[in-house]
Amino acid sequence: MTSRQLHSTVFGPCGFEDQTLVEISGPPKSGRSLVLQQLIAHCVAPYAFGGRQWSIYLINLSHKITRESLTKVVRAELQAFSLEGKPPAAEELTEIAKECVARVSFMKCFTTADVKYTLFNIPYETLRDRSVELIAIDTLSEFYWLDAAERKQNLTKYRYYRQCQMHLNRICKEALVCGMYTVDSSFLNSKYNEKIAGAKVDYNIQMSKLRGNLAMNRKSVSFSNGIIEIRQ
């Protein structure tokens, strides 16, 4: 399944709109980052190849998505679309893929302070670059345990998730862009019946594992070279 087909399967033929929030949740090693990477590939692909030709800010917390891995997925996307007509030469596809990935700003974060600084500056960055249409975070819950020893007060996983989610949503509303993030599903529910306001999630992509098999929104899936396949 190409990223264009995945995008259409998840969001419908029109895709997701401005100022919407997309959540990709699931347990560890369930393919969350791979799904995010493939959706990003569709968003940066040129119009001529069925993509959206967006510029994207990727706040990289888990560091699972690299320029090299994204380029590989984008190239596969371009090649699959090209089969519908006369495909460009392999060298040309590689160059186009590199140009697409160049529209992704990789913002590597290694601490919560890095994340806060990055999120603080993004609204100003989007004013300078109006081509940015998406802010993506992989993985929203990455630094929860890293910061645990430094916290002065107890912060539940659920409250931490809600705070991060609200912060991203607020930035997306201010900058008039979409938001997409991955999160460990163990953060999504409160064990203590906490009533905490959260942002409205417009699209939910739920990854799961059952007896060693992966599923996306309850449909069995597999990955081959970073490309998702939905099993019928």
Side-chain angles (χ1 to χ4, degrees):
M1 173 180 287
T2 66
S3 55
R4 178 168 58 96
Q5 292 168 327
L6 173 63
H7 191 275
S8 179
T9 298
V10 174
F11 304 115
C14 297
F16 55 95
E17 304 81 18
D18 291 342
Q19 301 183 62
T20 53
L21 209 57
V22 182
E23 180 176 277
I24 306 171
S25 63
K29 298 182 180 180
S30 59
R32 296 168 307 188
S33 297
L34 291 173
V35 171
L36 175 62
Q37 178 172 251
Q38 196 166 335
L39 290 172
I40 288 175
H42 171 72
C43 290
V44 299
Y47 297 131
F49 288 84
R52 306 193 110 190
Q53 206 164 307
W54 283 359
S55 292
I56 295 172
Y57 288 149
L58 172 60
I59 304 174
N60 215 354
L61 278 64
S62 67
H63 311 290
K64 294 177 181 177
I65 301 175
T66 65
R67 287 194 180 276
E68 292 73 20
S69 66
L70 182 57
T71 300
K72 185 177 181 179
V73 174
V74 172
R75 191 184 184 286
E77 167 84 355
L78 302 177
Q79 188 171 26
F81 187 84
S82 299
L83 294 178
E84 301 175 11
K86 183 179 179 181
E91 296 79 6
E92 184 179 353
L93 281 177
T94 299
E95 288 305 311
I96 296 173
K98 289 180 179 178
E99 291 172 4
C100 292
V101 175
R103 289 199 292 274
V104 180
S105 297
F106 283 75
M107 300 175 172
K108 297 182 180 181
C109 297
F110 299 93
T111 66
T112 298
D114 291 343
V115 178
K116 289 181 177 179
Y117 177 82
T118 299
L119 291 175
F120 177 81
N121 282 284
I122 276 182
Y124 304 103
E125 295 293 336
T126 56
L127 289 176
R128 289 195 287 267
D129 186 358
R130 293 294 188 179
S131 66
V132 173
E133 297 282 355
L134 173 66
I135 299 172
I137 300 180
D138 187 39
T139 303
L140 195 72
S141 52
E142 186 71 13
F143 297 144
Y144 174 78
W145 295 111
L146 182 67
D147 299 337
E150 300 178 4
R151 292 194 194 104
K152 296 180 180 180
Q153 60 181 15
N154 182 43
L155 184 65
T156 64
K157 293 165 69 174
Y158 182 69
R159 184 177 294 274
Y160 181 90
Y161 152 70
R162 282 300 199 187
Q163 288 179 355
C164 294
Q165 182 198 59
M166 287 288 285
H167 195 176
L168 174 62
N169 184 64
R170 184 167 60 251
I171 291 171
C172 291
K173 298 296 184 185
E174 292 173 355
L176 305 179
V177 298
C178 304
M180 187 181 295
Y181 61 89
T182 64
V183 62
D184 189 319
S185 54
S186 66
F187 283 73
L188 302 187
N189 298 298
S190 173
K191 295 181 179 180
Y192 309 103
N193 294 319
E194 298 167 284
K195 304 299 181 182
I196 303 171
K200 176 179 178 287
V201 176
D202 301 281
Y203 300 96
N204 285 285
I205 302 174
Q206 297 177 331
M207 306 300 296
S208 58
K209 292 195 301 183
L210 180 61
R211 297 172 186 169
N213 296 317
L214 300 179
M216 183 183 74
N217 292 347
R218 299 184 179 181
K219 293 183 179 180
S220 296
V221 297
S222 61
F223 292 92
S224 177
N225 295 319
I227 306 298
I228 192 171
E229 294 291 339
I230 297 180
R231 299 170 183 167
Q232 301 299 327

